[in-house]
């Protein structure tokens, strides 16, 4: 089972582009731009949204602090 839950943001004008950050960690400065908005969370106990891969998210957040993915589906609030 995945270890983290993630805070998820999406691009306002390209809503299929999402960025996940481990909950409680600093939000990258590019996310603080008005082009991004909070859309929900990804919890280990729930099915992830389309395009989200827990193993890839774990690796990306360990090395660069965030995970960008493409999702046509909705993120749970």
């Amino acid at each position: 089972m995945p270890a983290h839950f993630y805070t998820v943001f999406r691009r306002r004008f390209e809503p299929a582009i999402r960025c996940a950050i481990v909950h409680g960690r600093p939000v990258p400065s590019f996310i603080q731009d008005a082009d991004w908005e909070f859309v929900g969370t990804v919890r280990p106990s729930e099915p992830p949204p389309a395009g989200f891969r827990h193993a890839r998210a774990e690796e990306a957040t360990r090395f660069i602090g965030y995970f960008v993915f493409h999702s046509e589906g909705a993120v749970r609030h």
Side-chain angles (χ1 to χ4, degrees):
M1 178 176 277
H4 297 108
F5 85 87
Y6 297 86
T7 303
V8 181
F9 298 87
R10 72 174 173 202
R11 296 220 7 120
R12 288 184 191 274
F13 302 108
E14 298 173 276
I17 297 177
R18 310 286 171 95
C19 183
I21 301 147
V22 173
H23 182 75
R25 294 209 181 143
V27 175
S29 60
F30 71 89
I31 295 294
Q32 296 171 14
D33 186 320
D35 290 340
W36 292 84
E37 64 185 347
F38 171 79
V39 291
T41 59
V42 175
R43 298 176 187 277
S45 60
E46 300 172 350
F52 186 91
R53 302 290 180 265
H54 282 283
R56 290 181 182 168
E58 295 270 341
E59 184 176 2
T61 58
R62 183 174 51 244
F63 290 105
I64 62 173
Y66 57 88
F67 173 57
V68 175
F69 65 104
H70 184 267
S71 179
E72 293 296 335
V75 175
R76 289 172 182 76
H77 292 279

